[in-house]
């Protein structure tokens, strides 16, 4: 078995804990794999670190209710992640029929108060890539919430006004959403300005400016339904700058600064702490962290050819697909 992931030092230094996504090779589909992965993360941490990884399971067509019970009993698995098969990086083992093959698992998740984290896009090739989030809401998520209203759901990395409206229409405490820094500061023009920009390519893909503005307004409003989720995904340069580049933006070194910039521009710095540090733990039923970090506003320009070597990260297991996605401070 080879798990392919890394733990960037900046994630450990900036965040007290993180939701650890399970889309590795092979995916983290069992409680035993999640526990082993957690132990590997803890062993790789600096001796002075008190970072806490919050583990997740990868939902498949064959996940069993008993696996959910077992995961809850460990006290270290905090959620289950839904990847529609083919939706994003390492999602080929994801769900092909949520209602037909996973309903009994979702019902057990309600019993265990285990949140479902969703990559909210359909994968039907006839659906335009810019419409996949909206279609997912209309055809999958809305019917799911109607059928299981007590299921706690997090829409990960939302990108559209449709997602904002959906989350705001749901009962507080049962449906929430995370937002990445890139979806707050970039729109889809950033993919094509002056040429094709592979380092701005992520999934869900960047959307129109009207959607970016809607998401910015939602997260800076003070609503408890939205919280930090960086979806930071470092990749080797050669896998981004190629004929068929992979999806993912590595934002961990600057994520908090970008969030602060957005909140400042909206006159909402007083709401930043809740977005980054309170809303997420509150939704998951976790205690709020008591430690603090200090952000200082200074001019900074991204250097030309800015990059990190593998010596700047803590290697977890050898490989060439790199995923680490902090969601909670």
């Amino acid at each position: 078995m080879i798990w392919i992931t890394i733990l960037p030092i900046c994630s450990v230094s900036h965040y007290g804990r993180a939701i650890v996504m399970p889309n590795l090779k092979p995916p983290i589909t069992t409680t035993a794999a999640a526990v082993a992965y957690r132990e590997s993360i803890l062993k790789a941490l600096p001796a002075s670190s008190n970072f806490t990884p919050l583990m997740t399971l990868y939902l498949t067509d064959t996940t069993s209710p008993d696996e959910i019970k077992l995961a809850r009993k460990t006290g270290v698995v905090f959620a289950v992640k839904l990847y529609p098969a083919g939706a994003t990086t390492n999602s080929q083992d994801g769900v092909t029929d949520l209602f037909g093959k996973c309903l009994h698992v979702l019902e057990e998740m309600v019993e265990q108060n285990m949140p479902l984290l969703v990559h909210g896009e359909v994968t039907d090739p006839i659906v335009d890539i810019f419409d996949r989030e909206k279609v997912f809401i209309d055809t999958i998520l809305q019917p799911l919430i109607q059928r299981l209203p007590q299921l706690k759901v997090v829409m990960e990395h939302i990108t559209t006004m449709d997602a904002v409206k959906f989350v705001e229409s749901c009962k507080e405490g049962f449906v929430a959403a995370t937002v990445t820094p890139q979806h707050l500061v970039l729109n889809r023009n950033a993919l094509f300005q002056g040429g094709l920009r592979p380092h701005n390519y992520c999934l869900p893909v960047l959307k129109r400016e009207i959607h970016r503005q809607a998401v910015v307004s939602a997260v800076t409003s003070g609503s408890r339904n939205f919280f930090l989720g960086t979806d930071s995904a470092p990749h080797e340069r050669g896998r981004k700058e190629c004929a068929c580049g992979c999806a993912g933006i590595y934002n961990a070194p600057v994520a908090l600064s970008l969030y602060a910039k957005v909140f400042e521009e909206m006159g909402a710095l007083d709401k930043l702490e809740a977005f980054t540090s309170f809303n997420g733990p509150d939704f998951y039923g976790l205690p709020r962290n008591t430690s603090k970090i200090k952000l200082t506003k200074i001019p900074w320009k991204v250097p030309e050819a800015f990059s990190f070597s593998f010596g700047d990260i803590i290697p977890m297991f050898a490989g060439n697909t790199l995923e680490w996605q902090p969601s909670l401070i």
Side-chain angles (χ1 to χ4, degrees):
M1 177 180 292
I2 300 177
W3 287 331
I4 302 175
T5 189
I6 58 168
L7 181 61
I9 290 175
C10 48
S11 292
V12 174
S13 61
H14 293 175
Y15 302 90
R17 54 195 169 193
I19 292 290
V20 181
M21 294 303 176
N23 54 327
L24 278 60
K25 291 185 178 180
I28 305 299
T29 58
T30 67
T31 302
V35 171
Y37 184 25
R38 179 178 182 272
E39 290 303 312
S40 298
I41 293 172
L42 294 175
K43 289 179 182 178
L45 293 174
S48 60
S49 175
N50 60 359
F51 178 83
T52 302
L54 308 175
M55 310 311 293
T56 62
L57 294 186
Y58 186 115
L59 185 64
T60 73
D61 290 345
T62 60
T63 302
S64 70
D66 286 341
E67 194 67 55
I68 302 302
K69 294 178 184 177
L70 183 60
R72 174 55 79 192
K73 288 180 180 178
T74 66
V76 301
V77 177
F78 290 86
V80 176
K81 182 66 182 282
L82 165 62
Y83 297 98
T88 188
T89 305
N90 296 340
S91 63
Q92 62 273 12
D93 297 306
V95 172
T96 63
D97 182 359
L98 185 66
F99 294 104
K101 297 183 177 181
C102 300
L103 186 59
H104 57 309
V105 175
L106 298 173
E107 290 171 342
E108 185 60 40
M109 289 172 61
V110 173
E111 292 298 317
Q112 300 296 328
N113 196 30
M114 179 78 75
L116 177 70
L117 317 182
V118 301
H119 181 109
E121 293 186 290
V122 297
T123 57
D124 188 333
I126 70 170
V127 178
D128 189 288
I129 192 170
F130 294 103
D131 296 330
R132 290 180 180 180
E133 185 169 283
K134 181 182 186 304
V135 175
F136 181 88
I137 293 169
D138 294 341
T139 63
I140 303 295
L141 200 51
Q142 185 70 58
L144 175 62
I145 298 304
Q146 291 175 348
R147 189 159 187 171
L148 296 174
Q150 299 303 306
L151 179 66
K152 292 174 73 76
V153 175
V154 179
M155 280 197 75
E156 299 287 356
H157 41 61
I158 65 167
T159 65
T160 63
M161 65 172 62
D162 306 284
V164 168
K165 291 178 180 178
F166 173 75
V167 171
E168 291 176 338
S169 73
C170 294
K171 183 179 179 180
E172 185 175 296
F174 287 93
V175 178
T178 64
V179 182
T180 75
Q182 60 262 26
H183 291 111
L184 292 177
V185 300
L186 301 176
N187 62 35
R188 66 185 188 179
N189 289 342
L191 289 166
F192 310 108
Q193 289 173 336
L196 192 62
R197 301 290 183 175
H199 292 285
N200 289 336
Y201 172 55
C202 61
L203 289 173
V205 71
L206 301 172
K207 302 299 194 299
R208 291 178 179 271
E209 175 64 11
I210 56 172
H211 292 293
R212 187 194 71 83
Q213 292 179 3
V215 175
V216 168
S217 295
V219 303
T220 59
S221 68
S223 170
R224 299 178 61 195
N225 297 326
F226 303 94
F227 45 89
L228 178 151
T230 66
D231 201 32
S232 186
H235 294 281
E236 293 173 305
R237 174 168 288 185
R239 299 193 71 244
K240 293 289 289 182
E241 300 174 0
C242 61
C244 187
C246 57
I249 293 177
Y250 180 44
N251 59 44
V254 296
L256 287 180
S257 297
L258 290 174
Y259 285 127
K261 178 177 183 292
V262 170
F263 275 74
E264 181 185 42
E265 290 175 347
M266 294 295 290
L269 272 177
D270 59 314
K271 299 179 177 66
L272 176 63
E273 185 177 24
F275 173 78
T276 61
S277 304
F278 297 160
N279 298 346
D282 290 352
F283 184 87
Y284 281 92
L286 297 171
R288 295 177 179 181
N289 283 336
T290 57
S291 59
K292 301 286 186 179
I293 61 173
K294 180 179 180 180
L295 296 176
T296 302
K297 184 178 180 181
I298 58 174
W300 184 71
K301 182 179 179 180
V302 180
E304 293 295 326
F306 188 52
S307 64
F308 288 88
S309 70
F310 286 158
D312 297 323
I313 59 179
I314 302 171
M316 297 297 300
F317 291 88
N320 60 10
T321 299
L322 314 176
E323 295 288 341
W324 179 257
Q325 306 181 25
S327 292
L328 299 172
I329 290 183

